[in-house]
């Protein structure tokens, strides 16, 4: 919208410039024409005969009328910036009620104007300041008197802003600028009215917050009636008179010493009480320990007595139980002896039966062996009757296990080794060996 306003203003100015340029250009041409005629030396009669035409003002006036339109439109557009507030001021009716907040607004051109105010927070500082670690003087000195009549320097900061609902009243009735003309005297007046009600000590330490709170209420009330909203009143520093500051410093040191002595005294009294309480506690503990020990002994004695009451019957029962166990062991021993005797009888009977059975078994075996030997001898006798040469084989096998016997037919037919045996039997060496081997056997037999 600001760009549109600028464009309209530029357009109006250009049209006005064009309206002014047209008669100026025509006037310039007439001057140049007259100059040329003067240089050509024409007579004055001819000049009177050729009078110039009158200037045409219709076209410039039309351009002026057209130029007024965008200028008036641009003048009717008002833009209130962010953080600001505006009030309409009419040339006819004066200050109009109502606040124009940030944005675009339309007013009557050439009659109404807009007066803007900053609605953001402002800071007013009065009194001493601290800059770079050194105490300096602010622009607005604020010195007040206490109840004792001593001058005190104050460093006060007030944060405030204009009430947007009362901008018309501020514009119509307040001196401008209001923050420079109204706030400083109101702040100074409030502190100077309040300070004489308190002593220096109260303002400096004991009732400092109370004084600040009351001053803030007074300033807020006075400025609020005039359309200024006070956000906060801060008391940052207090400058005491030099003599009073020295005396107060000494007094504070004495108070600190007094407080320190009081603290030390309290600590010592508490230590004494603690020692007394500890002694009482130890005595009570000893008494309690003695009482507990006595009670424990009484309880132990009662326990032993009760235990004896239960122990005697228990021991009697143990004795009776021992007697019963001895009788039971005796009876068990007798029963075991009877059982062992019966077991031995049973074992002897079993052994006799076993031996009888073994004897019967041996007799049966002998009978079987005898019958088997009889049968074998019968079969051998029958076999020897059939083959008498078996006697020699049997004798040879029993003589030595190294002798090998070969059974051949008695007639020697169809046996390939018959001639070999015969030649061997006929040789003297063989005969000698056979005699040497047969002689011990024969001797042994005899």
């Amino acid at each position: 919208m600001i760009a549109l306003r600028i464009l309209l203003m530029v357009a109006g100015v250009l049209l006005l410039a064009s309206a002014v340029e047209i008669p100026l250009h025509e006037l310039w041409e007439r001057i140049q024409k007259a100059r040329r005629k003067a240089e050509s030396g024409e007579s004055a009669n001819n000049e009177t005969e050729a009078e110039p035409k009158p200037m045409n003002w219709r076209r410039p006036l039309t351009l002026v009328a057209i130029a007024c339109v965008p200028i008036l439109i641009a003048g009717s557009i008002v833009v209130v910036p962010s953080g600001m507030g505006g009030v309409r001021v009419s040339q006819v009716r004066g200050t109009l009620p109502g606040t124009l907040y940030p944005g675009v607004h339309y007013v009557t051109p050439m009659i109404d104007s807009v007066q803007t105010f900053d609605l953001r927070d402002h800071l007013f500082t009065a009194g001493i300041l601290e800059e770079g670690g050194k105490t300096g003087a602010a622009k607005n000195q604020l010195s007040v008197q206490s109840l004792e009549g001593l001058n005190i320097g104050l460093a006060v900061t007030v944060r405030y802003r204009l009430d947007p609902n009362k901008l018309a009243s501020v514009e119509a009735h307040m001196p401008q600028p209001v923050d420079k003309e109204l706030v400083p005297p109101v702040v100074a007046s409030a502190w100077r009215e309040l300070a004489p009600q308190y002593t220096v000590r109260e303002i400096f330490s004991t009732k400092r917050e109370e004084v600040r709170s009351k001053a803030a209420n007074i300033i807020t009330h006075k400025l609020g009636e005039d359309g200024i909203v006070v956000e906060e009143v801060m008391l940052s520093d207090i400058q005491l008179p030099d003599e009073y500051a020295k005396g107060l410093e000494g007094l504070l040191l004495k108070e600190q010493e007094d407080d320190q002595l009081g603290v030390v005294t309290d600590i010592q009294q508490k230590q004494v009480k603690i020692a007394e309480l500890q002694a009482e506690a130890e005595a009570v503990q000893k008494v309690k320990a003695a009482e507990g020990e006595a009670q424990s002994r009484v309880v132990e004695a009662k326990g032993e007595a009760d235990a004896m009451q239960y122990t005697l019957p228990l021991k009697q029962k143990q004795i009776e139980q021992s007697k019963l166990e001895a009788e039971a062991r005796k009876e068990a021993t007798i029963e075991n002896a009877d059982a062992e005797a019966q077991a031995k009888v049973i074992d002897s009977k079993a052994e006799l039966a076993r031996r009888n059975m073994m004897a019967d078994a041996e007799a049966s075996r002998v009978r079987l062996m005898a019958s088997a030997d009889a049968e074998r001898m019968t079969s051998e006798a029958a076999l020897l009757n059939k083959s008498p040469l078996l006697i020699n084989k049997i004798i040879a096998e029993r003589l030595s296990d190294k002798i090998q016997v070969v059974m051949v037919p008695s007639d020697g037919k169809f046996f390939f080794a018959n001639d070999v045996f015969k030649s061997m039997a006929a040789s003297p060496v063989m005969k000698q060996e056979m005699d040497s081997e047969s002689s011990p056997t024969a001797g042994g037999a005899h």
Side-chain angles (χ1 to χ4, degrees), residues 83-85 99 101-102 117-122 161-164 167:
M84 306 290 287
T99 301
Y101 291 95
F117 296 89
D118 192 353
L119 299 180
R120 290 169 291 192
D121 287 355
H122 299 269
R161 60 181 175 83
L162 296 178
D163 188 356
L167 291 183

Side-chain angles (χ1 to χ4, degrees), residues 64-336:
V64 170
I66 295 173
C68 290
V69 175
I71 292 174
L72 291 175
I73 294 173
S76 66
I77 298 174
V78 177
V79 178
V80 179
S82 177
M84 306 290 287
V87 177
R88 291 185 181 92
V89 179
S90 175
Q91 301 296 331
V92 179
R93 294 177 292 172
T95 303
L96 300 178
T99 301
L100 302 180
Y101 291 95
V104 179
H105 303 276
Y106 298 94
V107 298
T108 304
M110 307 299 293
I111 298 176
D112 295 344
S113 62
V114 176
Q115 181 67 35
T116 58
F117 296 89
D118 192 353
L119 299 180
R120 290 169 291 192
D121 287 355
H122 299 269
L123 291 177
F124 169 74
T125 302
I128 56 177
L129 291 176
E130 292 185 359
E131 296 179 355
K134 296 180 180 180
T135 302
K139 182 178 180 181
N140 300 300
Q141 295 291 336
L142 182 57
S143 178
V144 298
Q145 287 186 348
S146 64
L147 184 62
E148 302 95 332
L150 299 175
N151 291 327
I152 304 172
L154 301 178
V156 179
T157 301
V158 180
R159 185 166 64 91
Y160 66 93
R161 60 181 175 83
L162 296 178
D163 188 356
N165 297 322
K166 296 182 179 181
L167 291 183
S169 177
V170 172
E171 170 62 22
H173 303 97
M174 296 294 107
Q176 302 299 326
V178 66
D179 54 346
K180 299 291 191 283
E181 299 294 335
L182 186 62
V183 175
V186 171
V187 173
S189 174
W191 282 100
R192 285 167 183 164
E193 289 177 3
L194 187 63
Q197 302 176 13
Y198 297 91
T199 62
V200 176
R201 184 179 180 83
E202 291 174 345
I203 296 174
F204 183 74
S205 59
T206 58
K207 296 184 178 181
R208 182 169 182 166
E209 180 60 26
E210 179 182 341
V211 174
R212 188 205 64 79
S213 178
K214 288 184 177 181
N217 293 333
I218 294 171
I219 295 170
T220 301
H221 177 70
K222 288 184 177 181
L223 293 179
E225 293 178 352
D226 297 328
I228 299 175
V229 179
V230 178
E231 300 289 346
E232 186 178 5
V233 177
M234 294 170 281
L235 179 60
S236 57
D237 195 8
I238 298 175
Q239 186 177 16
L240 301 175
D242 295 337
E243 296 179 356
Y244 186 86
K246 293 180 181 179
L248 181 62
E249 184 177 358
L251 181 62
L252 291 175
L253 291 175
K254 291 181 179 180
E255 288 182 354
Q256 289 180 357
E257 292 177 357
D258 187 20
D259 294 339
Q260 186 175 3
L261 290 174
V263 172
V264 172
T265 304
D266 292 338
I267 292 173
Q268 291 177 353
Q269 289 178 356
K270 291 179 180 180
Q271 290 177 351
V272 171
K273 289 182 179 180
I274 291 171
E276 291 177 356
L277 293 174
Q278 288 178 351
E280 292 177 359
E282 290 178 357
V284 172
Q285 288 179 356
K286 290 180 180 180
V287 173
K288 294 292 184 183
E291 291 178 355
E293 187 176 359
Q295 290 179 357
S296 63
R297 289 180 179 178
V298 171
V299 172
E300 288 178 358
K302 290 182 178 180
E304 291 178 357
D306 295 338
M308 290 299 293
Q309 292 178 0
Y310 292 101
T311 302
L312 293 175
L314 182 60
K315 288 183 177 180
Q316 292 177 358
K317 291 181 180 180
Q318 289 179 351
I319 294 171
E320 293 177 357
Q321 185 176 1
S322 299
K323 291 179 179 180
L324 293 174
E325 288 177 355
E327 293 177 357
R329 284 196 296 271
K330 182 177 180 181
E331 293 178 357
T333 302
I334 295 170
E335 290 178 356
N336 290 332

Side-chain angles (χ1 to χ4, degrees), residues 14-92:
L14 291 175
L15 290 173
L16 288 176
S18 300
V20 173
E21 190 270 337
I22 291 173
L24 291 177
H25 181 70
E26 187 174 352
L27 180 61
W28 174 257
E29 287 181 351
R30 289 189 178 189
I31 293 172
Q32 292 295 329
K33 187 176 180 181
R35 185 179 296 176
R36 285 194 299 269
K37 287 181 179 182
E39 290 176 356
S40 61
E42 293 180 357
S43 61
N45 294 328
N46 293 333
E47 290 177 2
T48 56
E49 291 177 357
E51 293 180 1
K53 295 179 181 181
M55 294 181 64
N56 186 11
W57 295 98
R58 182 178 180 181
R59 189 176 177 187
L61 293 175
T62 304
L63 290 176
V64 170
I66 295 173
C68 290
V69 175
I71 292 174
L72 291 175
I73 294 173
S76 66
I77 298 174
V78 177
V79 178
V80 179
S82 177
M84 306 290 287
V87 177
R88 291 185 181 92
V89 179
S90 175
Q91 301 296 331
V92 179

